[in-house]
């Protein structure tokens, strides 16, 4: 088993969150020494130098407040720079944040998602929140390193910890970021530890982005998290959903997809995918099936790309199955009802024989919106022909929207056979004046990184007298699960959870076998690393 360590780049674009994960293999429920923190005590904390404002590995901090569910430490260096009046303001805001955490964030999130590790590695029921100066524009981060014993992770603080930037507490704007990071802590315990399953970063961030909405923080649009995400999404709606560079565009796409998913399918999809032993897109497909939906993740993704540019609840789906009922091509959240992105590329085609050819390279789950329009002439009898081709081995799905002169809008899919496909739109110019096609490659379903490879495709659109009636082949529906199949699926999940409980109870009652040799891991291990540390780690896992 490999030790997984994810590090993200810093981009000075917008406030973002950080999610650093060590593999659940080494999670230990209890530390050897336990003592409750006392108000006013000073502690030296290990911090991630990538996010500490001066790149340091340690920060001295003093416990300024103890609330029902958290210890609230503040960096001593930061505290020393404040005037007496600024200290009073900071403590006032800290009191408010602690009250918000105890009375709202903690109870609502744990009731919905489940518990964080409690009492966890430190045998203390409180979470530790360290407020320190972080690099701009970081607002906070969660690092699972601190959930491990020091003999396994020397940089561990052996606490359930969250890190919040001091500026956001001082300004009274920290609750959104605290809610986001606390969800990461819960999710790591519920998914990685209890179910020994690891989701890709994008899906972890989708769930964490739901925390502010779950708590009602997005209701006031002016100060909401979703407002920032909408602004970034409008600037770059074609950001890939799976690839994660930790840029503002990544959060924007993830959040807008999240809002569409929850509004049309309910937040139980998020919860059930978290509680599933499966991971990534497979866990979402399972959650959809268990909750009685016939759509797959691919269906929902395609509908979301249509909704993002159309956003019209009155447009009917293309068939009786329709990948969902009326209204699927719209956002339901009150502050998103007027959202409509602009096409990525716009081409005008006029005159018999005229055509345009375009090519592009995209990552997986990266939608691109192409608009082909023409002049309106009621006497014309030309048709639009769109030819598509892509790299071999790809799995493109290409929904399209046809805009009729009478105001109607029609949804369809370009039938793709292997890596090629053709669309005909009849009477382009006399009945239809605009078509938007939205190609996206759905090939990859897990293992996304910050640098995904590109695949290439080409489109050729032109006016012609040629016409061929091609039935728009919709993606095959998922077979609707019978009651018996759903019951069996749930029984399998119950059995798996019972097995996990038994394993953890046994782990708590017994001491692990001694490792092949005494060794301290003095460096962070990550996927792809080789050497003596990795070989020792493999031996340790095999024998324990």
């Amino acid at each position: 088993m490999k030790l997984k360590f994810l590090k993200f780049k810093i981009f000075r674009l917008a406030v973002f969150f950080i999610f650093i994960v060590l593999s659940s293999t080494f999670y230990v429920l209890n530390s050897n020494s336990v003592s409750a923190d006392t108000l006013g005590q000073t502690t030296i904390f290990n911090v991630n130098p990538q996010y500490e404002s001066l790149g340091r590995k340690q920060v001295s901090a003093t416990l300024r407040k103890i609330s029902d569910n958290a210890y609230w430490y503040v960096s001593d260096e930061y505290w020393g720079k404040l005037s007496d009046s600024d200290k009073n303001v900071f403590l006032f805001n800290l009191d408010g944040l602690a009250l918000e955490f105890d009375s709202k964030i903690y109870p609502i999130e744990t009731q919905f998602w489940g518990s964080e590790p409690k009492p966890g590695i430190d045998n203390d029921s409180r979470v530790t929140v360290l407020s320190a100066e972080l690099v701009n524009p970081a607002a906070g981060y969660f690092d699972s390193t601190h959930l491990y014993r020091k003999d396994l992770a020397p940089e561990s603080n052996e606490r359930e910890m969250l890190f919040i930037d001091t500026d956001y507490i001082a300004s009274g704007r920290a609750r959104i970021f605290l809610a986001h990071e606390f969800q990461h802590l819960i999710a790591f315990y519920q998914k990685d530890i209890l179910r020994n399953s690891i989701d890709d970063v994008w899906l972890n961030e989708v769930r964490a982005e739901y925390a502010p909405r779950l708590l009602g923080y997005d209701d006031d649009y002016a100060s909401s998290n979703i407002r920032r995400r909408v602004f970034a999404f409008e600037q770059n709606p074609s950001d890939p959903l799976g690839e994660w560079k930790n840029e503002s565009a990544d959060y924007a796409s993830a959040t807008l997809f999240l809002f569409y998913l929850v509004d049309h399918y309910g937040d139980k999809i998020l919860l059930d995918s978290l509680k599933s032993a499966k991971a990534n897109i497979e866990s979402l497909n399972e959650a959809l099936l268990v909750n009685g939906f016939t759509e797959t993740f691919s269906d929902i993704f395609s509908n979301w790309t249509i909704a993002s540019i159309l956003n019209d609840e009155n447009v009917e789906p293309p068939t009786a199955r329709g990948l969902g009922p009326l209204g699927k091509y719209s956002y339901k959240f009150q502050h998103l009802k007027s959202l409509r992105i602009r096409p990525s590329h716009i081409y005008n085609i006029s005159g018999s024989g005229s055509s345009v050819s375009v090519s592009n390279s995209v990552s997986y789950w990266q939608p691109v919106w192409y608009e082909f329009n023409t002049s309106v002439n009621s006497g014309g009898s030309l048709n639009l022909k769109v030819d598509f081709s892509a790299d071999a081995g790809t799995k493109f799905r290409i929904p399209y929207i046809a805009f009729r002169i009478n105001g109607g809008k029609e949804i369809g899919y370009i039938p793709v056979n292997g890596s090629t496909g053709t669309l005909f739109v009849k009477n382009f110019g006399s009945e239809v004046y605009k078509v938007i096609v939205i190609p996206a490659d759905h090939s990859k379903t897990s293992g996304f990184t910050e640098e995904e490879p590109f695949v290439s495709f080409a489109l050729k659109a032109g006016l012609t007298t040629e016409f061929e009636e091609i039935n728009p082949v919709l993606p095959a529906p998922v077979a609707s699960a019978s009651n018996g199949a759903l019951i069996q699926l749930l029984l399998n999940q119950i059995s798996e959870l019972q097995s996990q409980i038994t394993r953890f109870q046994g782990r708590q009652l017994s001491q692990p076998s001694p490792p092949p040799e005494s060794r301290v891991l003095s460096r962070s291990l990550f996927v792809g690393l080789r050497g003596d540390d990795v070989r020792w780690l493999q031996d340790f896992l095999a024998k324990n």
Side-chain angles (χ1 to χ4, degrees), residues 163-299:
F163 299 81
I164 300 296
D165 184 66
T166 49
D167 285 347
Y168 290 94
I169 296 181
S171 63
R173 296 179 293 151
R175 64 178 189 172
I176 291 174
F177 313 115
L178 182 61
H180 180 111
E181 302 305 338
F182 184 55
Q183 198 284 331
H184 278 317
L185 173 59
I186 293 173
F188 182 80
Y189 180 61
Q190 293 293 328
K191 189 75 170 185
D192 298 54
I193 303 304
L194 294 184
R195 292 162 180 85
N196 195 29
S197 182
I198 301 175
D199 282 322
D200 289 331
V201 177
W202 76 270
L203 183 51
N204 273 306
E205 295 298 342
V206 162
R207 296 195 193 99
E209 284 288 280
Y210 185 60
R213 177 169 172 179
L214 177 67
L215 293 159
Y217 297 158
D218 285 321
D219 293 344
D220 180 7
Y221 190 66
S223 60
S224 67
N225 182 58
I226 185 62
R227 182 187 181 190
R228 296 183 298 109
R229 302 311 188 204
V230 167
F231 178 79
F233 185 68
E234 290 175 331
Q235 303 303 307
N236 183 16
S238 287
D239 186 77
L241 188 60
E243 181 182 80
W244 197 266
K245 297 178 180 292
N246 215 49
E247 298 178 346
S248 60
D250 296 326
Y251 286 99
S253 293
T255 305
L256 269 296
F257 175 78
L258 155 73
F259 272 61
Y260 178 86
L261 174 69
V262 168
D263 283 340
H264 289 279
Y265 301 91
D267 56 13
K268 197 170 184 295
I269 301 301
L270 297 177
L271 178 62
D272 288 348
S273 67
L274 176 66
K275 299 295 180 71
S276 172
K278 296 181 179 180
N280 304 312
I281 291 174
E282 189 178 5
S283 73
L284 290 169
N285 282 334
E286 180 186 78
L288 288 163
L289 188 63
V290 168
N291 284 277
F293 295 103
T294 59
E295 295 101 313
T296 65
F297 177 83
S298 285
D299 297 330

Side-chain angles (χ1 to χ4, degrees), residues 365-382:
W365 305 99
Q366 181 177 7
V368 187
W369 292 264
Y370 289 93
E371 176 185 313
F372 301 104
N373 61 54
T374 190
S375 302
V376 176
N377 59 93
S378 58
S381 59
L382 296 174

Side-chain angles (χ1 to χ4, degrees), residues 14 28 115 145 175 183 237 310 315 346 358 380 388 393 415 449 480 518 525:
V28 180
S115 175
T145 304
R175 64 178 189 172
Q183 198 284 331
L310 188 60
V315 176
I346 300 175
V358 297
F388 171 84
T449 66
S480 180
S518 178
L525 303 187

Side-chain angles (χ1 to χ4, degrees), residues 17 27 124 127 129 142 204 244 297 305 309 356 426 461 505:
F17 310 96
Y27 180 81
D124 194 315
V127 174
V129 181
F142 161 72
N204 273 306
W244 197 266
F297 177 83
T305 63
I309 197 164
V356 59
K426 198 171 185 179
Q505 287 174 335

